[in-house]
Amino acid sequence: MLRDVNRSGEMEVFVAVVEAGSFSEAARRLNMSPSAVSKLMARLEARLGTRLLNRSTRSIDLTTEGERFHRESLCILEQMTALEEGLLHETPQPTGDVRVNMNLPFGLQCVLDLLPGFLASYPGIRLSVDLTDHVVDLVEHHADVAIRIGPMRDSGLLQRKLMETHFVTVAAPSYLERHGVPETIDELEKHNCLTFSFRRHTPEWRFRDESGQPRTFNPRGNLLLGDGESMRRLTLAGAGIAQLSLFQVEEDLAAGTLVPVLEKFAAREPQTVHAVFMGPNRYMPQRVRVFVDYLAENLRADRQTARRIKSVS
């Protein structure tokens, strides 16, 4: 045991340096001298036997080891805060901020309507919600929870399954009246297929051929879009064919403003929706735990009562 080393204090200073981007700004925030911060960081690196920070005259960058130490330090400091505040024990009314990141379509279609009920149940919690289709780093963006859809990378983040969805290929009736209904996967080559402008885990559209074997299609068209809600709206406007998550378009399908195409070739591969967060599950702050529990319970209830979508032949 390193009884003479204030390891939590070192972690706090290290995290402050990373967040401030400089020793001098970290020193100002911590009410320390820049030389004291510099010496403490040098002592920490010497004790660990590895470089955590690459320093230049203009910036401070994390090494690979520094990224890991930063991530784990945040988890440990969060656990310490939870212990000090008594948040590891069940309390009638958890309090504090919960910072949430999720993609735009899922937030609009599935989550935002649930938030007033959550806040009414937990008036001591304040939510900060960021909707973006770009995958963000939880540490960099100081997020407590992120909602992610599809295959998960081995990122070290903990996961909680919320629900499942799948992709459906759709178009507006007005588009199909002008351009015809594709009868085979190959006929999509003749159509305007809407695509995303950002890198995706699975950019190809997935189908199953006549024999039931997996088949992919590389969509091409004259519109590249930066988020799923813009793609939905332009599909509704008759701009082309799109492949979107069922949760995003099920109301449009029920209303007939969008219709599914190539349903007999639909892959229907399940896309799992997860809540992801940092740190050991048993040390999750109660303010975060109740939010994740609320989402899991209410999204499951929504799925059980969702309308059945009728395919259009």
Side-chain angles (χ1 to χ4, degrees), residues 31-301:
N31 196 27
M32 299 172 62
S33 68
S35 62
V37 171
S38 179
K39 290 179 182 177
L40 191 150
M41 289 296 95
R43 185 168 66 245
L44 172 62
E45 289 179 326
R47 181 169 63 81
L48 297 177
T50 188
R51 180 177 292 276
L52 302 175
L53 302 167
N54 288 321
R55 307 159 178 81
S56 70
T57 56
R58 294 186 178 181
S59 65
I60 292 177
D61 297 317
L62 287 169
T63 64
T64 300
E65 293 77 13
E67 290 178 353
R68 179 184 176 187
F69 191 75
H70 182 233
R71 181 171 62 250
E72 299 297 337
S73 293
L74 285 173
C75 292
I76 292 170
L77 293 173
E78 179 76 21
Q79 293 165 25
M80 292 176 62
T81 300
L83 280 167
E84 292 173 355
E85 294 177 355
L87 295 180
L88 295 181
H89 304 287
E90 293 298 322
T91 59
Q93 288 295 330
T95 61
D97 293 346
V98 178
R99 295 151 296 191
V100 187
N101 172 271
M102 69 188 80
N103 80 26
L104 185 60
F106 190 77
L108 293 177
Q109 299 295 330
C110 298
V111 176
L112 292 190
D113 288 346
L114 301 178
L115 299 187
F118 172 79
L119 293 172
S121 299
Y122 300 99
I125 290 179
R126 184 176 68 170
L127 292 176
S128 175
V129 181
D130 181 27
L131 301 181
T132 174
D133 278 7
H134 295 271
V135 176
V136 304
D137 183 282
L138 267 68
V139 173
E140 182 180 348
H141 287 76
H142 307 287
D144 295 300
V145 183
I147 311 301
R148 295 181 178 166
I149 303 172
M152 296 293 298
R153 297 181 301 174
D154 184 14
S155 61
L157 297 173
L158 295 178
Q159 309 169 16
R160 168 103 182 253
K161 180 179 177 180
L162 299 178
M163 56 175 276
E164 284 188 349
T165 186
H166 62 266
F167 287 118
V168 58
T169 309
V170 296
S174 60
Y175 174 87
L176 298 175
E177 289 172 5
R178 295 194 311 271
H179 301 281
V181 179
E183 299 293 340
T184 67
I185 300 170
D186 290 334
E187 287 184 16
L188 285 173
E189 295 283 358
K190 303 175 184 178
H191 287 268
N192 195 42
C193 299
L194 307 188
T195 58
F196 288 104
S197 58
F198 56 87
R199 186 175 181 180
R200 304 177 70 204
H201 182 78
T202 53
E204 301 88 4
W205 291 1
R206 295 179 180 272
F207 297 98
R208 290 194 179 274
D209 62 21
E210 291 83 350
S211 62
Q213 296 302 307
R215 167 83 184 275
T216 59
F217 173 78
N218 186 21
R220 289 187 294 274
N222 60 11
L223 269 174
L224 285 82
L225 300 162
D227 67 86
E229 179 59 19
S230 296
M231 182 171 290
R232 169 183 167 268
R233 293 192 180 196
L234 283 162
T235 307
L236 282 166
I241 299 176
Q243 193 170 88
L244 297 166
S245 295
L246 177 61
F247 70 78
Q248 188 181 356
V249 296
E250 58 186 350
E251 291 185 3
D252 303 316
L253 291 169
T257 51
L258 289 177
V259 296
V261 298
L262 298 173
E263 274 292 272
K264 64 181 179 180
F265 301 109
R268 298 193 182 280
E269 296 175 352
Q271 296 286 307
T272 304
V273 181
H274 287 98
V276 299
F277 39 88
M278 296 184 298
N281 187 57
R282 68 191 183 95
Y283 290 129
M284 186 194 304
Q286 193 185 4
R287 58 186 163 79
V288 178
R289 183 185 300 280
V290 295
F291 178 73
V292 174
D293 288 346
Y294 189 89
L295 284 187
E297 179 180 349
N298 286 276
L299 287 171
R300 184 166 56 250

Side-chain angles (χ1 to χ4, degrees), residues 298-313:
N298 286 276
L299 287 171
R300 184 166 56 250
D302 280 355
R303 294 305 97 190
Q304 290 172 349
T305 59
R307 302 184 185 92
R308 294 179 62 88
I309 304 302
K310 293 183 179 181
S311 299
V312 177
S313 59

